[in-house]
Amino acid sequence: MSPTQTGEFDLQQTLQQADGWRLMLAVHRPTGRTVHLLIFSQELSQLPQFRAALKTDRDTLLQLRHACIQRFLGFAESDGELLCWMEPPEAPSLATVMASETQLSTDEIIDIGWQLSSALQQMHNLGLAHGALSADTVLLSEGLQPTITSLGMHRWLAAAAAAKASQMQPATGPALISVSAFASQEQVLTDLRDLALLLRRLLELSHDKQTRKTAAAAGTASARPRLARLLERLIGTDQSTPLTARELQGRMGELLLEGGEMPINDQRDDSTGRRNSILHSLFDDATEPDAATPRQTPAGSAGRLPKLPIVVAVVVVLLLTLVAVLLR
């Protein structure tokens, strides 16, 4: 087979490469679709533990749908090499965005955190954990929509590393390496800490002058110090820290809504392509409250109600008098 082809794919460009795998830009010939193609070496692909870890996640990854997670399209094997391919996201890595010195306001950073928390929660609900969330594995579009990539990679490579390590140890009996289908509590916390570290780095790089100016004009306290405290508690595993991505997502929403820094309607400059995704998500299914004046009691009923106890008391007295007369 030509070096520019593997299985049903025409290879166009190497995007990343490391020991045992490479990420290619490729064209899927049956569909004509351009994809990101992960190719694992024959050595790695033939490890039973690696194959078991990948197979355990395969069906779940194919069914996983979230706007902030790179979508998996298929898995296959060609010439002893395991393959998986995904949609090619059109956005730079967060590391690239940071290097460009792009300035983000506090509410934009919280927005990004809210979206990533939502993605992590869906992953954790399905028993998946990322394990290597970083500025290199998170992309960020011009519209401030993050995309998590490399999902599953850390788990599969860890299974392979454990298998190789066991082969190098002196044989003292059969080595059993189990592959759990569900993320552990420790793996969930690792994802949350990695997210907190990522957001803290964004916060440190952002001067946030415009957000503080807006907050001062509105007479509200900036969410910046509260966000910083929340992230530090999460990184430090404080007992009061949210233990699930859903709780962290809720805290992010509270920071925006209580701080009053992000307008309810999208008032940002359209030319930037940025949007208030968190507020659209928060109120998608909500019904707008009625802004009418408070309901008032009709004047007639309001006049009669205070006299009702007196009338009841008089009737009770008359009945007691009548009974006493009949008993004589």
Side-chain angles (χ1 to χ4, degrees), residues 60-78:
T60 303
L61 290 173
L62 289 174
Q63 296 171 8
L64 181 60
R65 296 289 184 274
H66 194 284
C68 297
I69 300 176
Q70 186 178 25
R71 182 180 173 185
F72 280 78
L73 300 175
F75 290 79
E77 185 170 357
S78 175

Side-chain angles (χ1 to χ4, degrees), residues 69-98:
I69 300 176
Q70 186 178 25
R71 182 180 173 185
F72 280 78
L73 300 175
F75 290 79
E77 185 170 357
S78 175
D79 296 329
E81 295 178 331
L82 291 175
L83 315 172
C84 67
W85 58 100
M86 301 81 65
E87 285 185 338
E90 298 178 358
S93 69
L94 199 51
T96 301
V97 174
M98 290 177 176

Side-chain angles (χ1 to χ4, degrees), residues 156-328:
W156 306 336
L157 295 177
K164 290 180 179 179
S166 68
Q167 292 174 356
M168 297 175 62
Q169 294 175 354
T172 57
L176 299 177
I177 301 176
S178 61
V179 178
S180 172
F182 297 99
S184 67
Q185 179 67 13
E186 181 180 356
Q187 291 170 326
V188 168
L189 289 176
T190 296
D191 279 351
L192 295 178
R193 293 190 196 107
D194 287 345
L195 174 55
L197 288 168
L198 201 57
L199 296 178
R200 184 176 68 176
R201 181 59 179 152
L202 284 175
L203 203 61
E204 290 170 348
L205 293 174
S206 173
H207 295 307
D208 205 22
K209 293 179 180 178
Q210 185 60 41
T211 296
R212 280 181 273 182
K213 181 179 178 181
T214 302
T220 60
S222 172
R224 187 182 182 89
R226 288 180 291 158
L227 173 61
R229 288 194 297 270
L230 173 61
L231 297 179
E232 289 302 326
R233 288 200 302 270
L234 187 57
I235 294 168
T237 64
D238 189 294
Q239 292 300 314
S240 63
T241 302
L243 297 181
T244 68
R246 177 66 67 201
E247 290 176 281
L248 180 58
Q249 184 184 8
R251 297 284 183 93
M252 294 287 179
E254 290 172 4
L255 285 177
L256 282 181
L257 297 178
E258 292 177 3
E261 296 178 24
M262 181 178 283
I264 296 298
N265 298 315
D266 194 344
Q267 297 174 3
R268 298 181 189 173
D269 185 355
D270 291 338
S271 64
T272 65
R274 296 182 179 182
R275 57 184 177 80
N276 290 338
S277 60
I278 180 172
L279 292 178
H280 284 291
S281 301
L282 284 174
F283 296 114
D284 270 347
D285 301 324
T287 303
E288 290 295 326
D290 188 1
T293 55
R295 189 181 303 171
Q296 297 181 356
T297 306
S301 62
R304 286 194 298 269
L305 284 176
K307 297 178 181 179
L308 185 59
I310 299 175
V311 174
V312 172
V314 171
V315 171
V316 171
V317 170
L318 291 175
L319 289 175
L320 290 176
T321 304
L322 180 60
V323 171
V325 171
L326 294 175
L327 292 175
R328 285 182 181 178

Side-chain angles (χ1 to χ4, degrees), residues 115-157:
Q115 294 178 75
L116 290 174
S117 297
S118 173
L120 288 180
Q121 182 60 37
Q122 183 161 337
M123 287 164 43
H124 296 165
N125 285 345
L126 296 174
L128 299 171
H130 192 284
L133 205 64
S134 70
D136 293 315
T137 58
V138 174
L139 313 182
L140 187 64
S141 72
E142 187 179 355
L144 297 187
Q145 177 173 310
T147 301
I148 296 175
T149 66
S150 305
L151 181 56
M153 283 282 289
H154 178 76
R155 167 182 163 87
W156 306 336
L157 295 177

